[in-house]
Amino acid sequence: MSEQVEVKEAKRSTPKHQLGEEIIICRDVHKWFGDFHVLCGVTTSVRKGEVVVIFGPSGSGKSTFIRTINRLEEHDKGQIIVDGIEMTNDIRNIDAIRREVGMVFQQFNLFPHLTVLQNITLAPVWVRKKTKKEAEAMAMELLERVGIPEQAHKYPGQLSGGQQQRVAIARALAMEPRIMLFDEPTSALDPEMIKEVLDVMRELASSGMTMLVVTHEMGFAREVADRMLFFDKGQIVEQGTPEQIFSNPQHERTKVFLSQIL
Amino acid sequence: MSSTDVQVTQEVKQPRVAVSLIDWLRRNLFSNWLNSIITLLLLWVIVSALVRLFDWALTEATWTPVVKNLRLFMVGRYPGEAIWRVQVALALVLALFGISGGIWGGITRKVTSGLVAATILLAILPLSMGTRLYFVGMAVLMALGFIAGLRFPRLLRWPAIALWIISPIVIVILIGGISGLLPSVDTSLWGGLMLTLMLAVVGIVASFPIGVLLALGRRSKLPVVKGFCVAYIETIRGVPLVTVLFMASIMLPLFLPAQIRIADVVRAMVALTLFSAAYLAENVRGGLQAVPNGQIEAARSLGLNVFQTTTLILLPQALRMVIPAIVGQFISLFKDTSLAVVVGLTELLGIAEVVIRQPDWLTVPGGVQREVLLFVALIYWVFSFSMARVSYQIERRLGVGTR
């Protein structure tokens, strides 16, 4: 398994980020929604520090796939190992993995009844058992990092979409995750706000974070991704560096899809 | 932008149209001849009904049964020599309200000022001198508590919370007695407004957590828990409250061993609580369903466990959405306590019946039913309306920043 990956790595042009050991391993992952076969045998692995962009037509299973990595969706067959912990029904394993994996959603999903600061400090206080003071100091640092420290005491409803998504990123980072999952983080945003969110993600990628990003922002993918996965009908149809995917796509479906969105 | 410099800083105000009373009347009530006739007709009906009512209330009506029986209305047949215990219990609650109003401000402060106003009003009314002095004392007590709470909020916060929590026990001991210290007063002697309030408060405080648990249980993935909750809620909602009260008072003793006797009052409290919990559960479930699934996913993806997700994320959002429905349920529970009269409790409405049947009023032509029921209705209205106002305040406060 790891040899195979080595071979693939060798074919790549120089990676954009310093890559470490494999942190996510998926072997033949299947998932059904009733009779609908959403994931039909997904096998891939992600290395520490790697930025993987997942793209493909809607309904291709790309969102479902990243949601299996922190068990928001349960896979029905196959094996998922995150940071050395295998995903089973054992609730302790699931909780342990969720603490290591941060997630950013298309619809932000900030908690509307809590202020920005409370949104960010909630999990560190209740899950990581930090003191309120420590958590708040860290939250302010993170808000500084995503560029909106002045919004700390507002409620999510008072912020713009781009600001909300940056708060959501800060909230996930507050748990000090080793992996970040992004599920179409800019799809619900007005065009002028997409850049501010992508900038934060760029900075995060360059800081060495392992990231799985479902997105149609091809400019971002070209610039930041180490590897791109093209999903269609529940399978990884093609993968490669952005250069390979954009300039020399192998598969017919990849070509068609890229011609539609570029 | 075009080259023409548009001045955008100039403040454009929405034009305020001053509407005179005559204009308003003409536009809304007398816009055409048909509306004018309807307006005049309704005006005539309302005015003549009010004139008739006031005429009756001030000249014909016999208010002596109300005035003579005030104590009966307030505490029922509670023995006179022990009445100080009820007064102390009330004083305790009011003092707590005073302190809390000082400590927390906001809605608590508004409730406290409402209570102070009520006691002052009662002190002005032509009641017996002792009663009026008592209410003056209560107003002063609340004011003192308020000042204390305002001065030492940090010092008094936890003692106040602790006192609120133990207050029901203290009140029951004060009113019901405890062996060795206070002579016992049998629950069959409790009555009037005091009993109504006890039934309502116990019902509200106890049914709320049960209702929330039932609502959560109904959404559970465990079939046994879900099945139980659904069966419970649908059974209770399928029968009238009177049936539940009868079940509690007549059927329950059949199932219990003969040595165990539960007081009528307690059985009515249990019945009201269980009944109200089923309706509350459905209200709360409505709120739970209105919280988007993404909220739960976000909480779970942050590593919060199921319990934390429920108490920190799900319930706070769900409950604030259904405050109007919950308070509506509480108000109807408060009025439903009047049904306890069918199982022999002399709460406010029970006392009304007692007073109506007193032999003293046999000579009054037409009886005194109207006066007595009107008086009781007024008491129910004052409490229900106050609850509705408090609910409105809570809604407004919690609405800030949520949308």
Side-chain angles (χ1 to χ4, degrees):
Chain A
M1 180 71 207
S2 73
E3 266 173 62
Q4 264 183 329
V5 175
E6 293 305 328
V7 175
K8 270 185 214 154
E9 292 302 330
K11 274 194 222 158
R12 285 190 194 168
S13 51
T14 23
K16 297 186 173 81
H17 305 104
Q18 192 76 45
L19 302 187
E21 76 281 11
E22 288 177 352
I23 194 165
I24 302 172
I25 301 166
C26 300
R27 291 193 188 108
D28 193 33
V29 174
H30 288 263
K31 161 113 195 131
W32 284 266
F33 284 134
D35 285 338
F36 180 50
H37 202 171
V38 217
L39 296 179
C40 322
V42 177
T43 300
T44 190
S45 61
V46 177
R47 294 173 61 175
K48 201 161 178 293
E50 196 175 14
V51 176
V52 178
V53 163
I54 301 168
F55 71 112
S58 63
S60 60
K62 53 195 192 304
S63 281
T64 310
F65 171 63
I66 69 163
R67 286 158 62 89
T68 58
I69 290 167
N70 67 348
R71 241 318 150 92
L72 286 182
E73 303 288 356
E74 209 171 305
H75 61 287
D76 297 312
K77 200 180 145 210
Q79 201 179 23
I80 300 174
I81 299 166
V82 178
D83 203 15
I85 309 168
E86 175 161 9
M87 193 78 73
T88 58
N89 280 323
D90 191 336
I91 197 104
R92 278 167 305 178
N93 278 1
I94 297 173
D95 282 347
I97 289 170
R98 282 183 178 152
R99 283 195 288 271
E100 305 304 326
V101 181
M103 183 151 192
V104 175
F105 300 87
Q106 183 179 356
Q107 299 296 340
F108 328 135
N109 293 348
L110 292 177
F111 306 129
H113 61 301
L114 302 177
T115 64
V116 165
L117 200 62
Q118 288 167 334
N119 262 279
I120 301 174
T121 55
L122 185 80
V125 168
W126 287 92
V127 182
R128 292 258 189 247
K129 309 291 176 202
K130 292 197 175 186
T131 64
K132 201 175 161 212
K133 222 174 168 186
E134 283 171 348
E136 280 181 355
M138 186 177 154
M140 285 315 295
E141 265 172 43
L142 285 166
L143 282 174
E144 203 84 53
R145 189 168 165 193
V146 300
I148 39 173
E150 71 283 357
Q151 313 288 354
H153 298 286
K154 288 194 184 162
Y155 284 90
Q158 297 166 300
L159 304 186
S160 73
Q163 291 171 330
Q164 289 194 45
Q165 194 61 298
R166 286 189 277 163
V167 172
I169 294 173
R171 178 177 72 176
L173 290 176
M175 284 298 284
E176 298 172 312
R178 292 161 62 89
I179 301 162
M180 285 283 283
L181 308 174
F182 293 83
D183 188 0
E184 306 206 24
T186 56
S187 301
L189 294 177
D190 291 338
E192 75 270 24
M193 293 168 183
I194 291 176
K195 186 179 172 292
E196 63 189 52
V197 171
L198 291 181
D199 284 344
V200 170
M201 290 169 63
R202 257 182 218 114
E203 186 270 323
L204 195 57
S206 64
S207 76
M209 177 66 77
T210 311
M211 290 164 63
L212 266 76
V213 187
V214 174
T215 186
H216 292 137
E217 292 296 327
M218 289 300 135
F220 173 81
R222 191 190 294 271
E223 185 190 334
V224 180
D226 296 296
R227 184 155 54 108
M228 292 177 73
L229 305 180
F230 176 63
F231 256 71
D232 193 22
K233 303 203 173 101
Q235 282 173 318
I236 299 175
V237 173
E238 183 165 356
Q239 59 174 310
T241 61
E243 293 73 30
Q244 289 165 349
I245 295 281
F246 288 122
S247 53
N248 190 20
Q250 299 298 308
H251 207 286
E252 196 53 40
R253 279 188 275 172
T254 321
K255 286 178 195 164
V256 172
F257 184 76
L258 283 173
S259 73
Q260 281 165 347
I261 64 165
L262 285 180
Chain B
M1 274 282 172
S2 64
S3 56
T4 23
D5 212 328
V6 186
Q7 196 167 358
V8 279
T9 47
Q10 191 192 341
E11 213 174 303
V12 182
K13 278 187 186 158
Q14 190 188 359
R16 252 186 84 106
V17 185
V19 185
S20 74
L21 181 64
I22 307 232
D23 272 349
W24 186 89
L25 285 174
R26 190 171 295 153
R27 212 176 291 166
N28 293 290
L29 299 176
F30 298 96
S31 55
N32 57 41
W33 62 269
L34 182 64
N35 281 355
S36 305
I37 289 176
I38 295 173
T39 302
L40 289 174
L41 202 69
L42 286 175
L43 207 63
W44 176 76
V45 170
I46 293 168
V47 169
S48 55
L50 281 178
V51 167
R52 179 81 195 88
L53 183 68
F54 275 98
D55 186 41
W56 170 80
L58 296 175
T59 59
E60 285 173 49
T62 324
W63 293 108
T64 32
V66 172
V67 179
K68 281 270 167 64
N69 291 300
L70 274 180
R71 207 180 90 193
L72 209 51
F73 279 113
M74 292 304 118
V75 295
R77 289 181 297 134
Y78 198 83
E81 71 274 10
I83 212 102
W84 62 270
R85 283 153 59 172
V86 179
Q87 291 174 332
V88 170
L90 182 62
L92 175 80
V93 173
L94 292 179
L96 265 174
F97 265 111
I99 294 171
S100 307
I103 297 174
W104 285 288
I107 296 158
T108 355
R109 189 162 295 175
K110 285 191 177 163
V111 172
T112 306
S113 31
L115 286 170
V116 172
T119 46
I120 290 172
L121 183 73
L122 287 168
I124 295 170
L125 290 179
L127 303 165
S128 73
M129 215 49 214
T131 317
R132 294 171 72 172
L133 278 177
Y134 174 74
F135 283 122
V136 171
M138 287 304 102
V140 173
L141 184 68
M142 273 193 279
L144 288 177
F146 185 84
I147 292 166
L150 210 56
R151 275 279 178 83
F152 314 104
R154 311 204 78 161
L155 191 71
L156 290 172
R157 181 171 297 152
W158 288 107
I161 291 172
L163 275 174
W164 272 118
I165 292 170
I166 61 163
S167 63
I169 304 163
V170 174
I171 289 167
V172 166
I173 290 174
L174 261 173
I175 292 174
I178 189 168
S179 58
L181 283 172
L182 280 170
S184 119
V185 177
D186 195 78
T187 52
S188 61
L189 296 175
W190 301 8
L193 180 61
M194 175 183 83
L195 181 58
T196 294
L197 289 177
M198 285 169 103
L199 288 170
V201 170
V202 169
I204 288 169
V205 172
S207 68
F208 183 68
I210 299 176
V212 170
L213 287 178
L214 281 169
L216 291 170
R218 194 168 181 167
R219 284 164 53 102
S220 167
K221 286 195 188 88
L222 305 169
V224 179
V225 175
K226 189 189 166 111
F228 172 80
C229 291
V230 171
Y232 177 87
I233 292 168
E234 296 309 335
T235 309
I236 295 284
R237 291 206 310 162
V239 295
L241 174 56
V242 181
T243 329
V244 181
L245 281 165
F246 269 125
M247 281 288 285
S249 88
I250 300 165
M251 301 291 280
L252 202 63
L254 290 179
F255 298 115
L256 289 172
Q259 302 91 289
I260 299 178
R261 279 204 63 238
I262 305 172
D264 281 350
V265 173
V266 178
R267 279 182 276 177
M269 282 173 176
V270 170
L272 281 167
T273 301
L274 296 181
F275 185 80
S276 177
Y279 282 86
L280 264 177
E282 286 300 279
N283 288 338
V284 174
R285 188 167 71 100
L288 291 173
Q289 275 171 348
V291 177
N293 204 32
Q295 291 289 311
I296 297 161
E297 287 184 350
R300 303 289 284 135
S301 76
L302 284 168
L304 296 171
N305 61 33
V306 177
F307 180 76
Q308 291 165 336
T309 304
T310 305
T311 52
L312 299 171
I313 305 302
L314 191 54
L315 282 179
Q317 293 186 56
L319 291 179
R320 81 176 54 192
M321 275 189 257
V322 292
I323 288 169
I326 290 178
V327 176
Q329 176 57 35
F330 287 162
I331 290 174
S332 78
L333 170 66
F334 172 70
K335 292 183 295 180
D336 282 348
T337 56
S338 57
L339 282 170
V341 75
V342 301
V343 291
L345 296 185
T346 46
E347 42 64 68
L348 199 48
L349 196 66
I351 292 294
E353 286 195 357
V354 170
V355 170
I356 289 165
R357 298 222 181 89
Q358 280 171 344
D360 313 42
W361 327 115
L362 286 175
T363 53
V364 179
V368 292
Q369 227 172 30
R370 282 171 298 191
E371 292 86 344
V372 170
L373 288 180
L374 210 61
F375 173 67
V376 169
L378 181 71
I379 297 180
Y380 279 115
W381 180 81
V382 166
F383 279 90
S384 302
F385 183 69
S386 311
M387 283 159 83
R389 293 305 299 171
V390 173
S391 147
Y392 178 68
Q393 294 289 343
I394 297 175
E395 248 174 83
R396 273 203 348 188
R397 180 149 291 250
L398 291 183
V400 176
T402 55
R403 267 162 266 278

